[in-house]
């Protein structure tokens, strides 16, 4: 088997809140010893409910959240040990697409400027070369050069999310962390964005770390799925295996809760190769 | 199976919004019936007019917008559109109740749950204070809340999303309404919580015989819990069918497109999902023919010129389309 492009080991992070009136702090574990690997060209879906720690995990990969302990290896380097300066060149290779395209795009900047900004920050190319790259990435996500001078509010929800993806692509990343990129969209638009992601991955060999609460979306897109519950990765398996042979009670409950027509989730109960089940929360 | 005694009947119902000397018609002539004890699903994407329609059933819109109505909303034979404020008060919260998408926004943050349920009882019943208190606990128990006495003394922020939605439903059910309008009641909730709330709504429908108008964008939920469903597109209903059939055997091209674009739990993975081409036209656009013709893969010249009537296509099913695509025949 090929080597993973990203290896996450034992990530933990706790948040504390001053809930009680007199001092006593309560601890909430957002991530509790989370470990997983992401392989080149693979889509790994992290599935969980709100507050389960899936977004914290995604943000940790990009150093947008700082884990208390743990290691994240990318191309053999532990990202968490890098200084800010040493981190910069890696920053380009790891990009993110956010849930709410309206909130994650600067409303005062035009499309062209939004896409040029990361190139300027990383001092890439001349003005001409940058424009070329901008047009390429617009084209890759199905937007036209006419959109260059528009503001985000002049775009539809689906177009805004395409722009968010174009902004991630322009740095030619190895990995894109997608945090619920379709949950704010209507189903017909959702289908377009999912198709775009599948297409881009095929063409560019991207690795996707896909965070979602929607199991049918996760099933459609991913090669492997990790299920996270209260900060713990309770089960991880290849997608078909997870849906036909869920073992952890939380996973089983989650699958049973999906509305609509359901396949048989019963399975053999014995994990196949590459199928991990946690002993916690039984 | 058409009974003449519908609980709620809309007849050629239209809602117009007036803004800057312009009239925009958001609901464009809807006919539908809800029978007593029935769960009717209303499905559509954002902007199709489903929320505007449901809010206008209780005439809630006129407080926030300049609206006018056409047609009839007959509730138990009485026309809601022609009621005066006193008559409306008797219906609202008492005979028709409503729950919304985000319970945290709908609940009052400065009153306890118990207080907020009691408020409804004070308005609509003659119960004494003591009777009201016991009714509050009874209602919270009905919502399958394990410690009604404790929860009744709590404030909304102390409860989880699922518990908040249960409290909302308890408020709505305080006067045993004949009709509950549920506008995307589970959209803000996690799937496991959603499953619990849906189960609760189905139980209440069965035990109390209360009809539910269930507004959603999720065909999966319709499949699971609705007796019948109507699909809305651009302010019109385009298909009506039993909940299960709508999901499994959609007939109208729009419903077909919608159903196909949802990633399934049984079909192929990692393949391109079929997409409905184009975008939803503006409500202001004057469409000569069928509202969906521009995006419809089966559209013919006729579709652009003539508005299709509603055709009945057997066992409780109807579509607003010139053709039965599956049979490849014209319906006229």
């Amino acid at each position: 088997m090929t080597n993973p492009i990203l290896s996450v080991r034992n990530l933990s992070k706790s948040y504390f809140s001053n809930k009680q009136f007199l001092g006593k702090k309560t601890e909430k574990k957002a991530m509790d010893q989370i470990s997983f690997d992401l392989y080149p060209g693979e889509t790994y879906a992290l599935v969980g409910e709100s507050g389960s720690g899936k977004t914290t995990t995604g943000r940790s990969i990009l150093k947008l959240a700082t884990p208390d302990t743990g290691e994240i290896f990318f191309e053999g380097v532990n990202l968490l040990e890098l200084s800010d300066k040493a981190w910069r060149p890696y920053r380009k290779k790891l990009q993110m697409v956010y849930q709410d395209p309206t909130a994650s795009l600067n409303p005062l900047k035009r499309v062209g400027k939004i896409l040029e900004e990361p190139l300027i920050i990383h001092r890439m190319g001349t003005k001409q070369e940058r424009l070329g790259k901008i047009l390429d990435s617009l084209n890759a996500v199905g937007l036209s050069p006419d959109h260059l001078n528009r503001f985000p509010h002049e775009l539809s929800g689906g177009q805004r999310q395409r722009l968010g993806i174009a902004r991630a692509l322009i740095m030619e990343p190895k990995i894109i962390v997608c945090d619920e990129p379709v949950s704010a969209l209507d189903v017909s638009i959702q289908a377009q964005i999912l198709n775009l992601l599948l297409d881009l991955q095929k063409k560019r060999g991207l690795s996707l770390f896909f965070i979602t609460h929607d199991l049918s979306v996760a099933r459609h897109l991913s090669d492997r799925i990790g299920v996270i519950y209260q900060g713990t990765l309770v089960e991880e398996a290849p997608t078909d295996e997870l849906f036909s042979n869920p073992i952890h009670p939380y996973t089983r409950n989650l699958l049973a809760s999906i509305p609509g027509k359901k396949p048989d989730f019963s399975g053999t109960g014995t994990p196949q190769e590459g199928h991990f089940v946690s002993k916690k929360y039984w | 199976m058409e009974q003449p005694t519908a609980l709620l009947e809309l007849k050629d119902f239209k809602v117009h919004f007036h803004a800057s000397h312009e009239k925009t018609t958001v609901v464009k002539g809807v006919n539908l019936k809800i029978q007593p004890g029935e769960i009717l699903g209303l499905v559509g994407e954002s902007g199709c007019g489903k929320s505007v329609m449901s809010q206008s059933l209780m005439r809630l819109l006129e407080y926030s917008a300049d609206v006018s109505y056409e047609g009839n909303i007959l509730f138990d034979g009485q026309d809601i559109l022609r009621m005066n404020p006193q008559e409306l008060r008797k219906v609202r919260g008492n005979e028709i109740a409503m729950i919304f998408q985000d319970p945290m926004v709908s609940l009052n943050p400065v009153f306890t749950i118990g207080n907020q349920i009691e408020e409804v009882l004070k308005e609509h019943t003659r119960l004494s204070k003591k009777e009201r208190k016991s009714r509050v606990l009874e209602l919270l128990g009905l919502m399958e809340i394990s410690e009604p006495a404790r929860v009744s003394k709590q404030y909304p922020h102390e409860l989880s999303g699922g518990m908040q939605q249960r409290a909302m439903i308890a408020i709505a059910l305080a006067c045993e309404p004949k009709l509950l309008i549920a506008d995307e009641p589970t959209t803000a909730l996690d799937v496991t919580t959603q499953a619990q709330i849906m189960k609760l709504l189905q139980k209440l429908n069965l035990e109390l015989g209360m009809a539910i108008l269930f507004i959603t964008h999720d065909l999966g939920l319709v499949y699971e819990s609705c007796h019948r469903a109507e699909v809305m597109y651009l302010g019109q209903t385009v298909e009506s069918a039993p909940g299960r059939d709508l999901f499994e055997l959609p007939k109208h091209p729009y419903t077909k497109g919608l159903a196909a674009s949802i990633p399934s739990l049984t079909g192929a993975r990692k393949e391109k999902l079929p997409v409905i081409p184009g975008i939803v036209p503006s409500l202001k656009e004057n469409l000569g023919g069928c509202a969906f013709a521009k995006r419809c893969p089966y559209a013919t010249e006729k579709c652009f010129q003539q508005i299709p009537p509603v055709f009945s296509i057997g066992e409780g099913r109807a579509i607003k389309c010139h053709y039965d695509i599956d049979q490849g025949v014209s319906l006229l």
Side-chain angles (χ1 to χ4, degrees):
Chain A
M1 211 170 181
T2 47
N3 289 326
I5 185 167
L6 186 85
S7 289
V8 168
R9 292 291 171 268
N10 304 319
L11 281 193
S12 295
K13 183 175 179 66
S14 296
Y15 291 104
F16 293 94
S17 63
N18 265 325
K19 213 172 183 186
Q20 266 83 17
F21 176 59
L22 284 172
K24 205 182 157 201
K25 286 181 176 175
T26 42
E27 182 183 358
K28 182 165 166 35
K29 284 185 177 167
M31 293 188 294
D32 190 2
Q33 300 286 321
I34 288 189
S35 301
F36 62 87
D37 289 324
L38 180 66
Y39 291 92
E42 176 192 51
T43 301
Y44 184 102
L46 188 65
V47 176
E49 301 190 305
S50 44
S52 59
K54 54 189 195 300
T55 296
T56 306
T57 308
R59 292 175 69 91
S60 299
I61 297 173
L62 287 107
K63 299 231 289 180
L64 294 171
T66 7
D68 299 336
T69 56
E71 292 159 319
I72 300 172
F73 291 101
F74 173 70
E75 295 179 342
V77 180
N78 184 358
L79 297 179
L80 295 178
E81 282 175 350
L82 293 178
S83 67
D84 284 355
K85 205 175 165 195
W87 159 242
R88 264 201 164 194
Y90 292 98
R91 184 70 188 76
K92 287 189 275 188
K93 298 176 185 173
L94 301 159
Q95 290 290 318
M96 185 148 178
V97 175
Y98 299 86
Q99 172 171 13
D100 185 345
T102 313
S104 58
L105 297 168
N106 188 336
L108 300 177
K109 292 201 164 123
R110 295 176 197 274
V111 169
K113 192 76 198 161
I114 288 172
L115 291 175
E116 194 182 6
E117 207 170 23
L119 297 172
I120 294 174
I121 289 169
H122 287 282
R123 302 201 179 90
M124 288 165 78
T126 62
K127 208 164 171 115
Q128 250 337 296
E129 287 165 359
R130 289 202 293 262
L131 183 64
K133 279 193 171 230
I134 291 168
L135 293 174
D136 282 349
S137 66
L138 274 182
N139 184 37
V141 299
L143 292 173
S144 78
D146 302 343
H147 292 108
L148 269 183
N149 284 319
R150 305 257 186 100
F151 285 103
H153 75 263
E154 294 173 287
L155 304 176
S156 69
Q159 286 173 332
R160 272 177 227 161
Q161 198 54 291
R162 284 172 192 272
L163 178 58
I165 295 170
R167 182 176 57 181
L169 282 179
I170 204 160
M171 303 311 295
E172 293 171 13
K174 296 265 171 64
I175 299 173
I176 299 184
V177 174
C178 304
D179 188 1
E180 301 261 19
V182 295
S183 63
L185 307 172
D186 270 324
V187 281
S188 60
I189 312 295
Q190 167 180 301
Q192 294 174 12
I193 298 293
L194 294 179
N195 286 349
L196 174 65
L197 288 171
L198 279 172
D199 193 40
L200 288 171
Q201 183 174 37
K202 212 183 263 175
K203 280 189 193 145
R204 303 185 176 216
L206 289 166
S207 306
L208 297 180
F209 185 72
F210 196 92
I211 298 165
T212 182
H213 70 278
D214 188 327
L215 285 148
S216 39
V217 168
R219 178 184 178 272
H220 188 74
L221 222 57
S222 69
D223 301 290
R224 289 189 304 137
I225 295 186
V227 179
I228 185 170
Y229 177 65
Q230 296 193 1
T232 300
L233 201 61
V234 294
E235 189 158 3
E236 180 190 278
T239 303
D240 283 325
E241 161 80 1
L242 189 93
F243 276 83
S244 60
N245 187 23
I247 293 174
H248 196 280
Y250 177 71
T251 312
R252 298 179 73 96
N253 183 18
L254 204 59
L255 292 180
S257 302
I258 314 172
K261 210 178 173 187
K262 280 169 276 223
D264 182 18
F265 294 135
S266 53
T268 57
T270 339
Q272 303 294 304
E273 204 197 317
H275 190 156
F276 156 83
V277 187
S278 165
K279 291 187 175 67
K280 267 183 109 177
Y281 300 114
W282 278 75
Chain B
M1 262 219 335
E2 280 303 295
Q3 297 106 317
T5 51
L7 178 63
L8 184 89
E9 183 173 3
L10 299 190
K11 283 185 178 168
D12 197 23
F13 180 57
K14 289 179 188 157
V15 181
H16 312 286
F17 279 75
H18 304 270
S20 51
H21 307 288
E22 242 188 313
K23 185 169 98 171
T24 313
T25 308
V26 178
V27 177
K28 304 175 172 185
V30 167
N31 290 291
L32 66 80
K33 281 181 185 173
I34 303 176
Q35 306 298 344
E38 181 181 48
I39 304 182
L40 178 74
L42 192 61
V43 199
E45 295 185 277
S46 39
C48 71
K50 57 190 194 298
S51 287
V52 164
M53 196 172 95
S54 65
Q55 292 197 21
S56 51
L57 294 183
M58 290 227 278
R59 285 180 51 190
L60 297 175
L61 285 173
E62 48 213 62
Y63 302 99
S64 53
D66 189 0
V67 288
S68 61
Y69 309 104
E70 257 180 78
N72 306 90
I73 306 177
L74 299 175
F75 179 73
D76 258 352
Q78 276 186 299
D79 195 339
I80 290 179
L81 293 181
R82 278 149 199 89
M83 283 182 181
N84 61 36
Q86 283 84 3
E87 289 168 321
L88 264 178
R89 274 180 87 120
K90 276 188 198 151
V91 174
R92 279 187 193 145
N94 193 19
E95 307 211 22
I96 307 180
M98 191 159 180
I99 54 174
F100 300 89
Q101 182 176 129
D102 192 343
M104 196 59 207
V105 175
S106 320
L107 289 167
N108 190 330
V110 299
F111 289 103
T112 61
I113 298 301
N115 261 325
Q116 297 188 52
I117 301 175
E118 238 191 294
E119 193 187 348
V120 189
L121 297 170
K122 243 186 233 171
E123 170 72 34
H124 290 292
T125 68
R126 287 158 169 255
L127 297 178
S128 70
K129 197 169 179 182
K130 212 175 147 196
E131 287 168 326
R132 287 201 301 262
K133 291 266 188 254
S134 71
R135 174 78 179 137
V136 166
L137 298 183
E138 185 193 335
L139 278 163
L140 290 173
L142 189 66
M143 296 311 128
E144 294 166 352
I145 289 173
S146 53
E147 293 174 85
R150 191 173 58 87
V151 172
S152 78
K153 292 194 189 93
Q154 283 183 313
Y155 290 90
H157 75 269
E158 297 177 273
L159 304 175
S160 66
M163 287 296 259
Q164 287 173 1
Q165 198 55 286
R166 286 194 162 96
M168 273 305 297
I169 300 172
I171 294 171
L173 295 195
C175 298
E176 300 186 349
K178 290 179 190 156
L179 174 66
L180 177 71
I181 302 173
D183 190 352
E184 303 253 14
T186 59
T187 309
L189 307 175
D190 284 320
V191 269
T192 48
T193 319
Q194 166 170 285
Q196 293 164 8
I197 296 290
M198 290 313 297
K199 218 175 262 170
L200 176 65
L201 285 174
Q202 281 176 289
K203 185 192 94 167
L204 294 169
N205 162 262
L206 217 63
E207 286 178 4
L208 309 175
M210 168 185 70
I212 301 177
L213 177 62
F214 182 72
I215 296 149
T216 183
H217 65 274
D218 191 333
L219 278 175
L221 288 176
V222 169
Y223 172 85
E224 245 169 32
S225 34
C226 295
H227 301 126
R228 221 156 46 78
E230 304 262 354
V231 182
M232 262 186 109
Y233 181 75
L234 219 63
Q236 297 169 343
T237 53
V238 294
E239 175 158 8
S240 144
R244 294 204 150 224
D245 295 355
L246 200 64
F247 186 86
E248 290 190 314
L249 283 166
K251 290 280 190 186
H252 192 281
Y254 174 64
T255 324
K256 278 177 183 292
L258 210 55
S261 66
I262 306 169
S264 88
L265 288 171
T266 46
R269 304 196 295 114
K270 290 227 163 200
E271 271 174 27
K272 285 222 162 177
L273 294 162
V275 166
I276 304 175
I279 54 162
V280 183
S282 155
L283 283 161
K284 288 175 184 161
E285 223 168 296
N286 189 19
L287 302 152
C290 169
F292 189 60
K294 256 188 173 173
R295 307 176 69 192
C296 181
Y298 311 98
T300 63
E301 202 143 303
K302 187 177 176 186
C303 301
F304 289 96
Q305 282 154 5
Q306 286 176 35
I307 297 174
V310 176
F311 288 106
S312 169
I313 48 168
E315 359 84 64
R317 306 199 57 163
I319 49 171
K320 194 179 170 85
C321 182
H322 289 299
Y323 302 98
D324 185 338
I325 304 299
D326 295 328
Q327 312 287 333
V329 293
S330 172
L331 286 164
L332 203 63

